[in-house]
Amino acid sequence: MGGPALTLHLLARHRRSLRLWLTAWMLVIYLCTQIAFSLVMTYYQTKAINDFFDGRIATRLQFVEHALRPVLSTVTPSDLAPIAERERRVLSTDVIIVVLDDRGVMLASSRPTDMKLDAGARSRPGSRHAPVTQIRPPTFGAQGAGARSLRAFAMHTYDEQGSRYALVLVADADQTNAMIGLVTRVALVMVPFGMLIVAVAAYIVAGVAVRPITRLTESARQLAPESIGQQMPPSSRLAEVEELRDELEHARVRLETGFATQERFLANVSHELKTPIATILTEIQLLDTSDLPPRVRAFFRSGVEELRRLATTVDTFSILTRVRHGKLQIPAAEWCHVRDMLLDSYADCVTVARAQGVSIDVRLPEGPHAEAAVHGNCELLRLLLGNILKNAVTVSAPGAVVSVRTQFRDATCLIRIRDFGPGVPDEMIPRMFQQFTQSVNGVAGVRHSGGTGLGLEVAMGIARLHAGTITFENCAEGGCEFTVRLPVRTEPETHA
């Protein structure tokens, strides 16, 4: 699968998951909000840190100006050194104090430096004290400062004779930059950690949001002919979800009505056909055909066989209708021996097997399980096994052998019917026990004749009626194996 095809495939998969889409949208919204919040927070925090640092420097510069005013005309580096030391302790960072005359020539410095006053730091005409002006590096240099970040602030003052001077306080801004860097890192770290937390929370919230839809999906997936009468469960108080539930319920009611109409038609047709078929079959069997030509007698035999098959089909429809509506109860329940059930089913299918050229190999239970029996209706159980056995015979090629084996596990009997036909096609597996499902000969490509496609559905209904199940699987060597599971007792109860 190529790149574009893989991308489309992944998008198609994601489109089927509303929960993932909701989670993704929440993450996108959070990411945009978090980025905007981080930028704003970083900007204002940086500005607040700088303003705080600048405010402290400006305040300390006022103290420096007050201490130096008496000695401005004769200031020396020795006068600046103790003041610079005091400011270093107060500001907790290295500082340099520089005094310049009105022309910008340095008069004294607490440390050796070649700094010159920037033009922006000069006072405005007519003002005795110029506002504090930040001198941004690299308008000056400080020996020994290396690559350290420096911040300089200047103010103009006058001595007692009225001469103008410029006081400059240079401070190490590494701590301020470290704080700004910390704020930036916190803002960056908040994004991935926040995304992780929001992703988990969004996935949970999206799960809660789509849970009613998921329940409706599961209920719709379980809709089947046998469960079509069950109402859709209440899903949510949300208007949109409840509207979807109502629409599904209306669709279910329409399907239920259609199934009921179909079943009534099926039951009426079966009932109307049963009596005339039985009458015609009886009258034909009472006819004396001994004096008729062989071709006519063959015609009568064929007619009798077809009428019997039609009668069986009508009975199957009748049983199927009762099975679907849950109205089929076990009539005349008794203990049915597994051996007798297998022998009766073999007897019903041996004629069809011979016509197909197929052999049936039945191994009856022996030993402690020889008397194993199922509590139920023997005729229905014989019909169950007969339908599966006839199906195995029908799909088998001439010369094949259909095997019937029994196995006992605790109180369960497993009857395995194995054929060597083409197996069950993948597309037929989901509807194997649905009505009108018939196998197709994979070699000849024609549908096997003689069946109605209802036998397996009837068999499954009878199995469930007797608290049993039917499963099947394709065999690696070819063919298919059906397994009938029925509850049994190895020693049937006897009543006086």
Side-chain angles (χ1 to χ4, degrees):
M1 185 178 293
L6 179 59
T7 303
L8 291 176
H9 176 68
L10 292 176
L11 288 175
R13 288 186 59 187
H14 290 167
R15 276 197 295 269
R16 289 198 297 267
S17 177
L18 178 60
R19 187 175 190 178
L20 290 179
W21 273 113
L22 288 175
T23 303
W25 274 111
M26 291 182 186
L27 283 177
V28 170
I29 295 173
Y30 166 78
L31 183 60
C32 296
T33 305
Q34 184 62 35
I35 290 176
F37 172 77
S38 298
L39 292 176
V40 173
M41 184 193 72
T42 303
Y43 170 77
Y44 280 103
Q45 287 293 331
T46 301
K47 187 176 183 302
I49 292 173
N50 286 326
D51 290 346
F52 175 77
F53 182 79
D54 294 347
R56 291 192 66 193
I57 297 298
T59 301
R60 298 315 305 173
L61 192 56
Q62 297 286 343
F63 282 99
V64 170
E65 187 263 347
H66 180 73
L68 289 178
R69 183 178 299 171
V71 295
L72 279 176
S73 58
T74 60
V75 66
T76 62
S78 59
D79 296 327
L80 300 178
I83 299 175
E85 178 63 21
R86 182 192 67 186
E87 297 305 322
R88 185 190 66 79
R89 290 194 301 268
V90 173
L91 296 175
S92 300
T93 185
D94 291 338
V95 297
I96 302 174
I97 300 176
V98 181
V99 180
L100 302 97
D101 62 14
D102 191 37
R103 298 186 304 271
V105 178
M106 185 175 64
L107 299 178
S109 174
S110 62
R111 288 188 189 180
T113 179
D114 58 354
M115 184 191 70
K116 291 184 179 181
L117 185 64
D118 188 19
R122 297 182 183 274
S123 62
R124 293 193 298 264
S127 63
R128 176 172 175 79
H129 294 282
V132 176
T133 304
Q134 178 180 355
I135 302 178
R136 299 179 180 178
T139 58
F140 68 94
Q143 295 180 1
R148 298 167 67 183
S149 177
L150 302 176
R151 303 280 289 277
F153 294 85
M155 69 175 294
H156 292 279
T157 185
Y158 294 84
D159 63 6
E160 295 178 354
Q161 288 76 28
S163 300
R164 286 188 299 179
Y165 297 89
L167 298 180
V168 180
L169 181 61
V170 182
D172 187 350
D174 285 345
Q175 291 184 358
T176 302
N177 294 336
M179 293 177 64
I180 294 174
L182 178 61
V183 171
T184 303
R185 288 193 297 273
V186 169
L188 293 176
V189 170
M190 284 175 60
V191 174
F193 276 97
M195 286 191 66
L196 178 61
I197 296 173
V198 170
V200 175
Y203 189 76
I204 296 175
V205 171
V208 174
V210 303
R211 189 176 300 160
I213 300 178
T214 303
R215 287 200 295 265
L216 286 178
T217 303
E218 291 297 328
S219 300
R221 186 179 293 116
Q222 294 174 3
L223 283 179
E226 60 272 11
S227 62
I228 197 66
Q230 300 177 1
Q231 292 186 354
M232 301 295 293
S235 55
S236 173
R237 294 182 178 179
L238 299 176
E240 294 81 1
V241 178
E242 195 61 26
E243 183 179 357
L244 175 59
R245 185 259 179 195
D246 292 340
E247 290 299 326
L248 289 175
E249 175 63 18
H250 293 159
R252 185 200 64 80
V253 171
R254 291 193 296 269
L255 289 175
E256 182 181 14
T257 303
F259 274 113
T261 303
Q262 176 184 345
E263 297 297 343
R264 284 196 301 270
F265 173 78
L266 193 62
N268 293 335
V269 169
S270 300
H271 178 74
E272 294 296 331
L273 290 178
K274 190 170 184 179
T275 300
I277 290 175
T279 302
I280 296 174
L281 183 59
T282 302
E283 292 178 353
I284 292 179
Q285 289 176 335
L286 292 176
L287 291 176
D288 183 9
T289 60
S290 58
D291 297 334
L292 297 177
R295 293 182 61 182
V296 177
R297 289 200 301 269
F299 171 79
F300 273 98
R301 286 195 299 270
S302 175
V304 169
E305 183 64 29
E306 292 299 326
L307 285 173
R308 286 175 178 171
R309 182 177 300 171
L310 183 58
T312 302
T313 302
V314 171
D315 290 338
T316 302
F317 274 119
S318 178
I319 294 175
L320 181 60
T321 301
R322 287 182 288 165
V323 166
R324 289 177 182 169
H325 287 278
K327 298 179 180 179
L328 180 61
Q329 304 296 326
I330 301 180
E334 56 182 329
W335 287 104
C336 309
H337 288 80
V338 176
R339 293 170 60 92
D340 296 339
M341 291 161 46
L342 294 176
L343 289 174
D344 291 341
S345 300
Y346 171 81
D348 291 341
C349 299
V350 66
T351 303
V352 178
R354 289 173 182 171
Q356 291 282 123
V358 176
S359 301
I360 302 177
D361 179 20
V362 181
R363 293 189 182 179
L364 302 176
E366 299 176 350
H369 303 293
E371 298 299 320
V374 180
H375 190 260
N377 183 273
C378 297
E379 288 297 322
L380 291 178
L381 292 171
R382 179 184 61 80
L383 178 61
L384 183 159
L385 296 177
N387 285 349
I388 298 178
L389 190 55
K390 286 180 182 178
N391 181 75
V393 169
T394 303
V395 300
S396 297
V401 178
V402 175
S403 64
V404 181
R405 302 288 184 268
T406 56
Q407 182 180 359
F408 293 88
R409 294 178 182 174
D410 298 329
T412 303
C413 174
L414 281 70
I415 304 175
R416 305 183 185 276
I417 301 177
R418 170 83 157 86
D419 65 68
F420 289 89
V424 180
D426 294 338
E427 64 274 10
M428 189 184 296
I429 290 178
R431 53 188 180 89
M432 192 62 183
F433 292 98
Q434 296 179 4
Q435 59 179 335
F436 306 122
T437 299
Q438 291 180 294
S439 61
V440 175
N441 189 320
V443 178
V446 296
R447 188 179 299 275
H448 289 286
S449 61
T452 62
L454 301 173
L456 291 181
E457 186 180 7
V458 171
M460 178 63 80
I462 296 174
R464 291 174 178 171
L465 185 65
H466 290 79
T469 60
I470 303 175
T471 58
F472 70 93
E473 61 178 351
N474 288 321
C475 302
E477 302 83 3
C480 179
E481 182 177 82
F482 282 78
T483 302
V484 181
R485 291 175 173 84
L486 294 171
V488 297
R489 288 186 179 178
T490 55
E491 296 181 0
E493 294 180 350
T494 58
H495 301 278

